Amino acid sequence: LHPLDNLHIGLNLRGPMYLNSSGNTTTTPIVAENNYQISPGSPQDPAKTKLDFHLPWVLRFGVRYAFLDKRHREQGDIEADGTYETWHQAEGSGDQLSFKALGPYTNVNTTIEHHYKDTGSFRVGGAYNFWFANESMLALRAGFFYDSAATSSAWTRIDFDTLAKTGYTLGLGYKIHGVTINVAYNYIASNSRKVTNCKHQI
């Protein structure tokens, strides 16, 4: 939506995805020898494996306001965005893994537990443009975002990074004669977490 020349509002909704994958899985068992040395054993025959997993509903919303100069050129802008993802509905119980035979294991049909919860994020950023006599333009940009954690402390895992994250961005752009060159830097940090109430084996 563009209610004003310099005001822009966006809304996007993406539906869930159900991904039923299949392929061959091979394993190499570990052999412990008499002197306690560990070495790889003989590879097992490949097993036909199925893995079903899901991606969530994703709602995105954003508002952008541009500052225009007397010549109606964009002098700068500020933008705020938010997202909401239904990970509890998609991966609350986890993913289903199954195969008939793999090494000593037969007729396996198990759930890889995730216990994800819904997540949200907030993002804000802006830019300031310097216009020159030859209509070239130098843009300075900066931003910040926060993504909430996808699991509670009790269901922290090491196979997926589900911790809350913060990010900081910087950018520089130069446009002349219709050609634009952009460079950017993005620093993302996963917030630390001390787990004292783990509900599963890691």
Side-chain angles (χ1 to χ4, degrees):
L1 300 175
H2 309 280
L4 302 173
D5 288 344
N6 56 346
L7 178 62
H8 313 285
I9 302 172
L11 180 68
N12 176 267
L13 179 64
R14 191 200 73 189
M17 298 183 185
Y18 304 95
L19 305 176
N20 303 319
S21 63
S22 61
N24 293 323
T25 301
T26 59
T27 61
T28 301
I30 300 299
V31 177
E33 299 176 356
N34 294 333
N35 57 358
Y36 300 103
Q37 296 294 318
I38 296 177
S39 61
S42 301
Q44 302 290 327
D45 293 333
K48 292 185 177 180
T49 307
K50 291 180 60 180
L51 177 63
D52 300 332
F53 58 99
H54 319 92
L55 297 178
W57 288 87
V58 179
L59 175 66
R60 301 179 184 273
F61 176 79
V63 178
R64 177 177 179 267
Y65 185 85
F67 302 94
L68 307 178
D69 62 13
K70 294 180 180 180
R71 298 179 58 181
H72 213 70
R73 298 178 304 185
E74 191 171 299
Q75 193 68 57
D77 78 314
I78 186 169
E79 180 173 342
D81 306 305
T83 67
Y84 186 81
E85 303 183 12
T86 60
W87 281 106
H88 178 71
Q89 170 266 331
E91 289 286 336
S93 58
D95 299 326
Q96 200 69 25
L97 174 69
S98 61
F99 53 82
K100 289 186 177 181
L102 184 62
Y105 305 103
T106 58
N107 296 319
V108 171
N109 189 4
T110 186
T111 300
I112 303 174
E113 294 184 330
H114 284 150
H115 293 269
Y116 287 172
K117 60 181 181 179
D118 292 354
T119 61
S121 71
F122 174 74
R123 303 157 191 241
V124 61
Y128 191 84
N129 303 325
F130 297 91
W131 290 93
F132 303 103
N134 60 355
E135 290 301 310
S136 63
M137 186 261 295
L138 175 68
L140 303 180
R141 307 182 180 99
F144 167 83
F145 69 84
Y146 172 80
D147 292 343
S148 67
T151 58
S152 63
S153 177
W155 290 101
T156 303
R157 299 184 64 95
I158 60 174
D159 56 348
F160 291 102
D161 182 2
T162 59
L163 302 179
K165 299 172 183 63
T166 53
Y168 305 87
T169 62
L170 292 173
L172 183 68
Y174 184 70
K175 180 173 70 174
I176 184 171
H177 301 309
V179 178
T180 302
I181 299 174
N182 292 307
V183 293
Y185 173 77
N186 185 7
Y187 175 79
I188 302 176
S190 290
N191 297 357
S192 62
R193 171 187 283 180
K194 183 177 181 180
V195 178
T196 60
N197 58 340
C198 184
K199 290 186 177 180
H200 64 92
Q201 293 183 349
I202 297 178

